[in-house]
Amino acid sequence: MTDIMQSITERDPVEKEFHQAVDEVINSVKPVLDRHPEYRQAAVLARITEPERVILFRVPWMDDEEQVHVNRGFRVEMNSAIGPYKGGLRFHPSVNLGIMKFLAFEQVFKNALTTLAMGGGKGGSDFNPKGKSDSEMMRFCQSFMAELYRHIGPNTDVPAGDIGVGAREIGFLFGMYKKLKNEFTGVLTGKSLNWGGSLIRPEATGYGSVYFAVEMLAVKRQTLKGKTCLVSGSGNVAQYTTEKIIELGGKVLTLSDSSGYIYDEEGIDSEKLASIQKLKNIQRGRISEYADEYPNAVYTEAEPSPDYNPLWNHKADCAFPSATENEINKKDAQNLVKNGVKLVSEGANMPSTAEAVDIFLDKKLLYAPGKAANAGGVAVSGLEMAQNSMRLNWPMEEVDNRLKIIMRSIHKTCLDAAEEYGQPGNYVIGANIAGFVKVVNAMLDQGLV
Ligand code: NDP
Ligand code: 2IT
């Protein structure tokens, strides 16, 4: 173990997801530090792994039965070397400081890769949105923002959505911010269209992950047409990943939620996807209901502590993990390889364990880590900020074209950096090095702050 890794694990021993994310970056950038002694001299690793600021706060709220609850709110402002802190808010019972720090750390490099001026941050709460009424969601969001508002701003820190935070929650959060600050600014992204949102932002993460896959396939002179795809999750990222795969002639076989997954041998077409979007976004139902509507589909319930996830054990060409961290373990990676999967594009953040990543790299899959493949979401958030600053809205084609250009540029940046450091085709090394060098150079320019 490196000295820096040892000191991080000793200082915060329980933050295992943060250790995992940091360990990967440290291993990737070792040759960069060897080439640049000035980076070691300036202790860049110790500085880049310590958040600039962590805000931790109480979120009290009342349910519809007038019971009082207390949740914990977080905002990790990780790095502002290249722009205001930027990154989503996650509402999920698993949220803790270690998960917030891992997500904020990944966000720093991801945002650097987008070419836009955004630093990295992440926030959220251990609040569980499942089964809550609209009024409960509103009261929770208002209480959350009643504290967060004093720490954020359009030039300071600009939150957005993530797991459990979509258009409805961004609306409630924005409304409270506006009331408290008495100003209408682009302090959040993922806003609705008629009050400052950008076209293509809802689609951007999923579309971007598929655009990245298209770029990787193009290197091998292939396309998505006719390719079978396993997609996990059924939220924002999974839905728009599925939409774009269908549009480009691929076939999506699976979708999931935390209760289980569906396998549809005939493929999920546009009509079926529209019914999933209604089920998930409006009725807030479970993916199992898909199998009631389309009886040819098979629903498999998730096991409480599975050795492997059967979703990843089907014959297919491509995999698009789009649910959550560490959803692909070593056994799942082995199953994917065994079943002929040649491409993995990570819509989710860190969905593959370190052992799974090693297998993908060892077997020379086209493997795109989340910080490259899912950067389209935050990239279009950056475009939403730009439109807010100009007080105008770009048409759909313009935003979608810019998204394509950004994903193409991230792909090339990763390949070039990997090549420069003698690891051709290794998108993990490429993404980590390119993001790291950009942020570290900015930090050095700005002195010891
Ligand atoms: P949503 O809340 O819209 O959907 C999340 C989906 O993943 C749901 O189907 C959910 O199932 C499932 N899921 C969540 N947690 C777990 C879990 N512990 N085990 C199994 N399934 C789970 O979130 P998003 O689609 O926005 O986010 C999905 C992933 O993409 C996350 O890793 C997020 O960080 C990442 N991401 C999101 C971006 C965005 O713009 N939204 C941008 C870049 C990355 P259930 O409903 O049962 O909880
Ligand atoms: O993980 C991510 O990149 C996001 N949840 C989106 C962040 C953003 O600011 O749009």
Side-chain angles (χ1 to χ4, degrees):
M1 198 190 281
T2 56
D3 291 351
I4 181 79
M5 215 44 235
Q6 188 165 349
S7 88
I8 288 170
T9 47
E10 277 173 12
R11 191 186 258 182
D12 297 305
V14 296
E15 297 177 351
K16 59 184 194 315
E17 291 86 1
F18 181 59
H19 303 161
Q20 182 184 340
V22 170
D23 197 44
E24 183 196 281
V25 170
I26 288 182
N27 286 329
S28 293
V29 303
K30 190 171 175 301
V32 183
L33 297 178
D34 292 343
R35 205 184 275 187
H36 292 276
E38 73 276 17
Y39 288 177
R40 277 216 173 87
Q41 175 68 27
V44 292
L45 287 182
R47 289 160 65 187
I48 211 167
T49 53
E50 187 65 12
E52 290 180 13
R53 190 176 300 108
V54 174
I55 300 141
L56 209 160
F57 51 102
R58 179 171 68 195
V59 190
W61 59 281
M62 196 177 269
D63 68 21
D64 291 343
E65 273 70 54
E66 299 192 356
Q67 292 290 312
V68 172
H69 301 266
V70 176
N71 283 95
R72 191 168 272 184
F74 301 86
R75 187 71 183 166
V76 175
E77 296 182 335
M78 198 76 191
N79 195 298
S80 61
I82 61 171
Y85 308 107
K86 181 81 195 90
L89 297 171
R90 176 179 292 193
F91 291 168
H92 193 272
S94 63
V95 162
N96 58 39
L97 185 56
I99 289 184
M100 293 286 98
K101 280 173 66 180
F102 121 64
L103 288 162
F105 184 73
E106 291 276 293
Q107 198 82 46
V108 172
F109 305 98
K110 183 195 308 193
N111 293 4
L113 290 170
T114 65
T115 69
L116 304 173
M118 298 181 290
K122 199 84 186 190
S125 174
D126 58 1
F127 170 79
N128 186 358
K130 278 204 191 78
K132 301 294 187 295
S133 68
D134 286 351
S135 322
E136 288 171 331
M137 283 310 301
M138 181 179 76
R139 286 196 294 276
F140 179 80
C141 289
Q142 290 180 338
S143 179
F144 185 86
M145 188 53 88
E147 173 58 37
L148 187 68
Y149 84 99
R150 63 187 98 245
H151 308 288
I152 61 176
N155 296 309
T156 311
D157 184 351
V158 184
D162 192 79
I163 291 176
V165 178
R168 175 182 59 171
E169 292 72 29
I170 293 292
F172 294 148
L173 291 163
F174 184 83
M176 193 63 181
Y177 180 88
K178 183 165 61 75
K179 183 181 172 78
L180 292 168
K181 287 281 233 210
N182 192 25
E183 59 182 35
F184 194 113
T185 51
V187 68
L188 292 162
T189 58
K191 300 184 290 300
S192 287
L193 275 183
N194 59 351
W195 46 273
S198 173
L199 285 159
I200 299 290
R201 177 61 190 91
E203 293 86 349
T205 312
Y207 279 17
S209 165
V210 179
Y211 292 152
F212 201 94
V214 166
E215 292 298 315
M216 293 198 289
L217 287 167
V219 174
K220 305 278 176 201
R221 299 187 189 288
Q222 291 181 30
T223 68
L224 258 184
K225 203 168 170 52
K227 296 238 176 349
T228 48
C229 303
L230 306 174
V231 180
S232 65
S234 49
N236 171 271
V237 180
Q239 290 173 20
Y240 289 106
T241 296
T242 301
E243 183 169 288
K244 190 49 81 175
I245 293 171
I246 297 170
E247 191 189 315
L248 297 181
K251 185 172 169 182
V252 174
L253 301 173
T254 61
L255 282 171
S256 68
D257 58 26
S258 52
S259 310
Y261 81 99
I262 49 115
Y263 177 82
D264 187 339
E265 195 178 12
E266 292 168 6
I268 296 163
D269 59 20
S270 304
E271 194 190 306
K272 292 172 178 174
L273 176 62
S275 122
I276 290 170
Q277 290 182 307
K278 191 167 147 218
L279 170 72
K280 281 286 165 186
N281 307 348
I282 299 166
Q283 298 160 354
R284 300 188 188 272
R286 309 306 295 159
I287 199 71
S288 57
E289 293 166 51
Y290 179 91
D292 302 334
E293 196 175 347
Y294 302 101
N296 66 300
V298 180
Y299 173 69
T300 307
E301 205 159 298
E303 303 229 350
S305 38
D307 294 334
Y308 70 98
N309 181 349
L311 186 156
W312 306 121
N313 197 16
H314 291 279
K315 288 228 164 316
D317 301 307
C318 307
F320 292 85
S322 307
T324 193
E325 57 270 11
N326 292 329
E327 55 171 314
I328 299 181
N329 66 18
K330 183 179 175 186
K331 179 79 183 144
D332 296 320
Q334 286 166 340
N335 284 338
L336 286 167
V337 171
K338 181 190 80 192
N339 283 302
V341 167
K342 297 280 189 310
L343 177 148
V344 178
S345 185
E346 294 187 339
N349 284 306
M350 207 171 72
S352 309
T353 64
E355 286 173 315
V357 173
D358 286 344
I359 291 170
F360 296 149
L361 294 177
D362 185 49
K363 299 291 178 193
K364 300 254 179 303
L365 264 65
L366 294 171
Y367 166 62
K371 59 171 81 71
N374 72 40
V378 74
V380 175
S381 278
L383 301 180
E384 183 173 329
M385 289 163 72
Q387 294 169 79
N388 291 164
S389 298
M390 292 186 290
R391 299 193 188 283
L392 54 77
N393 299 311
W394 289 329
M396 186 175 291
E397 298 69 37
E398 167 136 22
V399 184
D400 195 25
N401 267 334
R402 285 178 184 267
L403 171 62
K404 273 187 204 148
I405 291 167
I406 290 171
M407 296 315 294
R408 204 171 294 148
S409 140
I410 298 174
H411 177 265
K412 183 171 175 343
T413 300
C414 293
L415 278 191
D416 288 351
E419 181 87 30
E420 187 186 339
Y421 281 88
Q423 301 272 348
N426 185 329
Y427 291 94
V428 177
I429 298 263
N432 287 334
I433 289 182
F436 179 81
V437 168
K438 179 169 179 184
V439 174
V440 163
N441 284 341
M443 288 169 74
L444 294 191
D445 288 345
Q446 293 168 24
L448 192 52
V449 289

